[in-house]
Amino acid sequence: MNSYGSFPGARPRRLRTTPALRRMVAETRLHPADLVLPAFVREGITEPVPIQAMPGVVQHTRDTLRKAATEAVQAGVSGIMLYGVPEDAKKDAAGTAGTDPDGILQVAIRDVKAEVGDELVIMSDLCLDEFTDHGHCGVLDTDGRVDNDATLERYAEMAQVQADAGVHVVAPSGMMDGQVGVIRDALDTVGKQDVSILAYTAKYSSAFYGPFREAVGSSLKGDRKTYQQDPANMRESLRELALDLEEGADMVMVKPAGPYLDILAKVAASVDVPVAAYQISGEYAMIEAAAEKGWIDRDRAILETLTGIRRAGAQMILTYWATETAHKLRQL
């Protein structure tokens, strides 16, 4: 200390003294338009079915899906990512229900399109795992391994039927080599040049997918480590990124979000296309479970995790809290 001032002279806390001041100098802002709502629609049900591992999330009927889409629009959410859950009897080794023009996912796309039109970006999961009786993301060869190139043929057909149903964005999530290029060619061949591709560029083989398996009624036995990425690897993600962009990806995604913020930051710093991140079912379930126990403040934890994902570089965040959070953000 001296006669001209006191130590310390630099006091960062000055900018934290009031809520208004903290809000004014915030470096990262969440907005409803940053959010995308993942939604499940199940064939053959008349009432929504709660997902036990994801409190507050349901398998929708066609009617409740339309209502959820309308609510998302009213809250200011930008998009909805659709997953179809077929009847078990319609699953087979090739996942043919996924490419049936009258299959549950295509029907759901048409329903949402009819309900909200272009007010919501309609996205669809482009993968076979919900529709195969073995639960893998592709067709299997004679040795029981996922056949990459045979699966690409199925993805091409799937892209075309989803586009015909009116989807704005297809999102290939199976992590097959070459999937973006094949899908882009398939869409362009049938005059669907305006349908965008959101590439699951870095999709890790994660322990946090558990509740999702219940949500889609997965038949999976075993794991997906031969095609989803090893959690230990970073350079591999950047290689996948380069390949997806070369093949024509319009947007790229990192999944899961929270455990892979370093990957998300690397990807966001490397590209000039929009970057998405998926806050997945296990991330959701952990917060809901801890909040139910009274161990954490639920609302603060939700906003904190979403802000962290946004701060790491995601321009779009897929989260099961999308509509709820959008309403809260509009009240701040």
Side-chain angles (χ1 to χ4, degrees), residues 127-150:
C127 194
L128 293 173
D129 59 324
E130 299 99 314
F131 305 101
T132 54
D133 54 12
H134 47 73
H136 278 287
C137 296
V139 295
L140 305 182
D141 63 18
T142 55
D143 294 320
R145 300 172 300 191
V146 174
D147 186 325
N148 190 95
D149 295 1

Side-chain angles (χ1 to χ4, degrees), residues 189 224 243 250 253 268:
T189 297
R224 297 177 175 141
L243 290 168
D250 300 289
M253 186 193 292

Side-chain angles (χ1 to χ4, degrees), residues 6-59:
S6 61
F7 178 84
R11 294 182 181 270
R13 288 180 55 191
R14 293 187 187 115
L15 300 183
R16 305 171 195 154
T17 53
T18 70
L21 187 54
R22 292 192 296 272
R23 185 171 62 247
M24 184 178 73
V25 300
E27 299 172 29
T28 303
R29 300 183 193 278
L30 273 176
H31 188 277
D34 301 332
L35 305 176
V36 175
L37 176 69
F40 308 99
V41 57
R42 179 172 168 181
E43 190 171 27
I45 59 173
T46 57
E47 296 291 334
V49 176
I51 299 167
Q52 296 302 314
M54 301 174 68
V57 181
V58 301
Q59 294 172 326

Side-chain angles (χ1 to χ4, degrees), residues 72-89:
V73 170
Q74 292 170 344
V77 170
S78 280
I80 189 167
M81 177 70 77
L82 299 177
Y83 295 87
V85 184
E87 295 174 333
D88 284 344

Side-chain angles (χ1 to χ4, degrees), residues 53-215:
M54 301 174 68
V57 181
V58 301
Q59 294 172 326
H60 284 288
T61 68
R62 290 176 61 186
D63 286 340
T64 63
L65 176 66
R66 286 191 285 262
K67 181 180 178 182
T70 299
E71 291 172 348
V73 170
Q74 292 170 344
V77 170
S78 280
I80 189 167
M81 177 70 77
L82 299 177
Y83 295 87
V85 184
E87 295 174 333
D88 284 344
K90 293 185 179 179
K91 295 182 179 183
D92 59 25
T96 53
T99 50
D100 180 355
D102 295 318
I104 184 60
L105 182 52
Q106 283 67 252
V107 168
I109 293 168
R110 289 195 290 270
D111 284 345
V112 174
K113 184 78 169 183
E115 188 72 20
V116 300
D118 294 336
E119 292 187 85
L120 198 63
V121 179
I122 303 170
M123 305 176 173
S124 54
D125 182 55
L126 200 164
C127 194
L128 293 173
D129 59 324
E130 299 99 314
F131 305 101
T132 54
D133 54 12
H134 47 73
H136 278 287
C137 296
V139 295
L140 305 182
D141 63 18
T142 55
D143 294 320
R145 300 172 300 191
V146 174
D147 186 325
N148 190 95
D149 295 1
T151 298
L152 293 182
E153 295 179 18
R154 301 287 296 121
Y155 285 3
E157 184 180 354
M158 200 171 193
Q160 290 173 343
V161 297
Q162 291 180 1
D164 286 341
V167 78
H168 297 110
V169 179
V170 295
S173 61
M175 292 301 288
M176 296 298 118
D177 294 337
Q179 62 185 12
V180 172
V182 165
I183 290 167
R184 183 73 271 158
D185 286 346
L187 291 170
D188 293 351
T189 297
V190 295
K192 299 295 183 179
Q193 294 91 343
D194 289 341
V195 174
S196 300
I197 298 175
L198 169 57
Y200 279 63
T201 290
K203 183 180 180 182
Y204 283 89
S205 180
S206 173
F208 294 96
Y209 294 136
F212 182 88
R213 305 277 157 79
E214 177 191 345

